Amino acid sequence: MTPGTMAPGTTAPGNTTPHHPREKVLRYAFLVAESTLDPAQISDLYSRAVTAHIFESLYNYDYLARPYKIKPNTAMAMPEVTDNFRTWTIRLRPGLYFADDPAFKGKRRELTAEDYVYSLKRFFDPAVKSPMYSSFRQEGIKGLQAMRDEALKSKKPFNYDRPVEGVKALDRYTLQFNLEAPRPRFLYNLAGGDTYGAVAREVVEHYGASIGEHPVGTGPFQLEKWRRSSFLRLVRNPGFRDVRYDAEPNADDAEGQALLARLKGRRLPMVDAVEISIIEELQPRWLSFLNREFDLIYTLPEEYADIALPHGKLAPNLAKRGMHLHRVLASDRHLYYFNMEDPVVGGYTPEKVALRRAIGLATDVETEINLVRRHQAIRAQSIVSPMTWGYDEQYRSENGETDLARAKSLLDTYGYVDKDRDGWRDMPDGSPLVLELASTPDSKTKPYDELWKRNMDRLGIRLKIQMARWPENLKAARAGQLQIWQLGFNNSTPDAQLSLELVYGPASGGQNLGRFKLERFDEIYRQMLVLPDGPERLALLREAQRLLTAYMPQKYRVHRMVIDISQSWLIGYRRPFFNQMFWQYVDIDTEQQPRF
């Protein structure tokens, strides 16, 4: 759907007649602007929240199951897995269709196995420049890397028509993946419509370079209006198949069981439209929610935690208005990374390692949790996130410590002292030691920047803070142009392997923004890929954690307690853990919802 246009047959917002019930519109805000709506070019959380509802994966996470359960989506059943997890064969549901679009020239376009073949090949096309390329490369899909290498060497367009053994359509509805080595957890790659959702080749070729503005999928919603970095409106896909609300909450999950009892059998999606505003400043976002302009505040600003949750409970004034609190420990990690190719903080020699470890030890995480995050986080000990395989809440490491005296001692030992007596430490060769922190010019980031400055002042290190908008920082990070950047990562699978990719050497310039490259770590990463979950794989994960603590390419600060608050008229909301999908599972009581 072209941004700025209205889909045929839809009703303008607010239009109500005796024969047309009031439109059910889910309204909430993003804190950060979207980047693109092309699944192959996405890496940010906010864009993925949109594409997850437009494009469809073969499998999905059950909406109510905890911690997770994967179920067929466009696939008819769970995959047939043979040859020791090397061959995965999947049968698609027939009769599923893409949303109407001019690219189809007036014809209904059915989803076929070839669409998943084409969509996967796009990650390997050098012209697409997919940040997810490294994630799929490490799965060892036969023949795809050779096709990419050939395109790079010949400097000719990627040959999408060339058959490849690794991913092929056995017939119109049967898809098969053939892998070079065992991949016991390959299923996780098939359960993310936000990235590996089916894209139609005709649409990509029709829109060319502007494909990121024209998302066309088989999912429950389609794009109707888009003002870049400001507003998105998506409407129910009128051609979406008949899908009914069903889920499998745990037997002891009272909330989940109640939602299932209330909504089971309802046709999805239950809302007619979703409207997303981009509000980067925290106060306007919070006040808009209080003013009933939004149905949900997705991730409460930490500054308002004491107001909204005094003593850990929903404030009486909010509870009186019928609002609902949703508070969970997120499967995430908030960190800062060092550019390992930077001449100041990068490198693997003892003095460079000492500098990074000293900065890590000087990072006052307790103050961050108590004052900046208002107690809405726990201290991170390593790269492994809660609710992912291998997480142990009893695990402890230097990464979780704050010790200013030890930090200063490390710097003194390795020659980072004040040689010119100007009050600031210098490099071992006598040149000025200056750190450069990338940041964003908004009220949310300011207290973190102030804490960074305080921490480095106490350590005796000069700090420069360089401001740019988040998408610009991301672009610079991928190009290796940032020295230090702090950001958060949400897990999109329940396995630790995805976290480790952020420091896997061959993923440099993609998911590995800091370009950390350590032969032993990369060897561990590859060994873990092929092993089933068990003691041997866990021992390798623990070694990987120790290596990351020793070399400190990233400092893992916290795992957040994320807080969402929903209005009384929003029915069925529950924050998903490993994907961003919830729009189709919620309903709106329009009798309670204010009219705007």
Side-chain angles (χ1 to χ4, degrees):
M1 179 59 59
T2 303
T5 64
M6 184 166 288
T10 60
T11 305
N15 285 3
T16 306
T17 71
H19 304 291
H20 292 87
R22 183 179 167 202
E23 187 181 44
K24 292 183 178 182
V25 184
L26 170 66
R27 298 182 178 95
Y28 72 112
F30 283 173
L31 180 63
V32 174
E34 75 296 333
S35 59
T36 177
L37 300 182
D38 177 7
Q41 299 183 56
I42 283 178
S43 65
D44 66 286
L45 182 69
Y46 301 94
S47 300
R48 291 173 73 158
V50 179
T51 57
H53 296 89
I54 297 174
F55 300 96
E56 289 195 286
S57 51
L58 293 156
Y59 299 92
N60 268 343
Y61 290 91
D62 185 287
Y63 183 58
L64 298 181
R66 295 293 183 268
Y68 75 95
K69 181 173 184 177
I70 295 178
K71 301 167 68 174
N73 184 36
T74 61
M76 290 188 68
M78 298 304 286
E80 177 188 342
V81 184
T82 56
D83 193 19
N84 190 23
F85 298 104
R86 289 182 176 88
T87 299
W88 299 65
T89 305
I90 299 158
R91 178 81 176 170
L92 270 65
R93 301 177 190 269
L96 309 185
Y97 292 89
F98 285 92
D100 292 341
D101 189 85
F104 302 133
K105 300 178 180 178
K107 298 178 181 178
R108 291 196 77 192
R109 171 61 158 79
E110 188 181 19
L111 174 71
T112 69
E114 283 290 354
D115 294 313
Y116 284 104
V117 174
Y118 173 75
S119 299
L120 183 57
K121 286 180 177 179
R122 292 191 70 226
F123 293 104
F124 287 80
D125 183 348
V128 174
K129 299 179 181 178
S130 175
M132 296 297 295
Y133 153 69
S134 59
S135 298
F136 286 100
R137 176 189 177 184
Q138 54 92 16
E139 295 297 341
I141 303 166
K142 289 183 178 180
L144 282 181
Q145 184 59 38
M147 288 179 65
R148 178 183 173 88
D149 293 341
E150 181 180 317
L152 288 168
K153 183 177 181 180
S154 67
K155 297 182 180 180
K156 293 181 179 179
F158 189 85
N159 186 0
Y160 285 95
D161 294 317
R162 176 179 162 185
V164 62
E165 178 65 20
V167 56
K168 56 188 177 181
L170 301 184
D171 58 41
R172 185 172 179 82
Y173 303 113
T174 307
L175 179 68
Q176 187 177 84
F177 299 92
N178 292 290
L179 312 177
E180 295 170 352
R183 289 292 186 269
R185 291 155 295 277
F186 185 69
L187 178 63
Y188 297 150
N189 294 284
L190 311 180
D194 51 352
T195 51
Y196 187 30
V199 176
R201 182 171 181 174
E202 305 96 295
V203 175
V204 176
E205 293 179 349
H206 181 79
Y207 291 108
S210 64
I211 182 58
E213 301 172 4
H214 300 273
V216 179
T218 61
F221 293 92
Q222 60 187 50
L223 182 66
E224 181 186 86
K225 186 181 295 185
W226 184 12
R227 296 195 299 271
R228 283 270 189 179
S229 303
S230 175
F231 177 80
L232 299 97
R233 175 177 161 88
L234 296 96
V235 296
R236 179 201 305 267
N237 173 6
F240 187 59
R241 64 189 178 279
D242 188 346
V243 177
R244 303 288 166 160
Y245 191 108
D246 196 12
E248 299 181 42
N250 299 350
D252 59 354
D253 179 1
E255 179 192 63
Q257 291 290 345
L259 289 176
L260 180 62
R262 181 173 186 176
L263 300 172
K264 184 177 175 64
R266 294 278 302 278
R267 185 166 183 173
L268 305 181
M270 291 181 278
V271 298
D272 301 306
V274 179
E275 295 181 353
I276 302 166
S277 301
I278 313 302
I279 304 179
E280 296 179 342
E281 291 300 321
L282 304 181
Q283 186 182 50
R285 193 160 65 100
W286 172 239
L287 293 178
S288 296
F289 175 73
L290 290 182
N291 198 37
R292 297 153 60 98
E293 295 170 29
F294 295 130
D295 310 311
L296 170 73
I297 186 153
Y298 189 81
T299 309
L300 176 75
E302 290 148 345
E303 289 89 328
Y304 299 100
D306 292 341
I307 298 172
L309 275 81
H311 312 296
K313 294 184 178 181
L314 190 65
N317 64 309
L318 303 182
K320 188 175 180 180
R321 293 169 60 175
M323 294 182 183
H324 301 284
L325 171 66
H326 313 269
R327 185 173 184 260
V328 296
L329 178 61
S331 184
D332 73 0
R333 61 219 165 276
H334 279 242
L335 59 91
Y336 57 81
Y337 77 82
F338 299 97
N339 183 345
M340 296 297 288
E341 296 176 355
D342 181 83
V344 176
V345 299
Y348 302 83
T349 53
E351 75 279 5
K352 298 295 189 181
V353 172
L355 174 61
R356 293 193 298 272
R357 290 178 69 162
I359 294 169
L361 285 167
T363 300
D364 189 352
V365 175
E366 184 176 359
T367 296
E368 176 181 338
I369 292 173
N370 294 339
L371 296 183
V372 182
R373 295 188 180 273
R374 307 298 202 277
H375 307 283
Q376 303 307 312
I378 64 171
R379 188 183 289 263
Q381 299 292 334
S382 80
I383 194 171
V384 183
S385 300
M387 285 173 293
T388 60
W389 182 87
Y391 179 76
D392 180 357
E393 62 181 15
Q394 302 301 319
Y395 181 86
R396 295 292 181 269
S397 75
E398 180 188 297
N399 181 91
E401 299 174 6
T402 300
D403 191 332
L404 184 61
R406 186 145 53 105
K408 289 181 175 180
S409 178
L410 266 174
L411 294 180
D412 292 344
T413 300
Y414 285 91
Y416 293 96
V417 296
D418 181 6
K419 297 180 184 294
D420 57 9
R421 304 194 179 199
D422 66 349
W424 299 102
R425 293 180 184 271
D426 298 301
M427 298 284 284
D429 65 4
S431 60
L433 170 57
V434 181
L435 302 184
E436 297 177 354
L437 173 70
S439 187
T440 52
D442 55 66
S443 59
K444 176 178 172 61
T445 309
K446 185 177 180 181
Y448 295 97
D449 293 344
E450 291 172 347
L451 187 57
W452 254 97
K453 183 69 168 60
R454 194 194 79 166
N455 291 338
M456 293 305 101
D457 284 352
R458 293 168 64 195
L459 196 54
I461 295 179
R462 295 180 187 88
L463 177 70
K464 289 184 178 179
I465 300 177
Q466 300 177 321
M467 297 291 185
R469 294 191 64 192
W470 200 90
E472 293 156 6
N473 277 334
L474 180 60
K475 183 178 180 181
R478 287 186 186 141
Q481 296 170 350
L482 304 183
Q483 186 187 88
I484 305 171
W485 192 25
Q486 55 186 10
L487 66 169
F489 287 90
N490 285 61
N491 267 49
S492 58
T493 80
D495 188 59
Q497 190 88 40
L498 189 66
S499 304
L500 300 183
E501 187 184 346
L502 301 179
V503 273
Y504 178 50
S508 296
Q511 297 295 84
N512 182 355
L513 297 176
R515 303 176 180 232
F516 178 64
K517 298 171 185 174
L518 188 69
E519 184 176 346
R520 176 54 187 161
F521 181 88
D522 293 346
E523 181 182 343
I524 290 170
Y525 182 91
R526 288 187 288 267
Q527 288 179 304
M528 286 182 61
L529 277 174
V530 304
L531 288 172
D533 294 345
E536 184 179 359
R537 189 169 187 252
L538 185 60
L540 288 170
L541 177 61
R542 295 289 179 257
E543 183 182 351
Q545 290 171 282
R546 290 192 294 271
L547 286 172
L548 294 177
T549 300
Y551 283 90
M552 195 64 68
Q554 298 178 344
K555 166 71 174 184
Y556 310 103
R557 293 164 21 234
V558 302
H559 307 299
R560 294 176 305 154
M561 297 295 302
V562 289
I563 301 166
D564 307 324
I565 303 177
S566 59
Q567 302 280 10
S568 60
W569 54 82
L570 180 61
I571 302 164
Y573 174 73
R574 178 179 257 194
R575 176 182 276 260
F577 280 128
F578 299 114
N579 62 23
Q580 311 304 315
M581 294 180 62
F582 69 88
W583 300 353
Q584 64 265 49
Y585 301 112
V586 299
D587 195 11
I588 299 285
D589 182 345
T590 55
E591 294 301 314
Q592 287 193 59
Q593 187 185 44
R595 296 171 184 260
F596 291 100

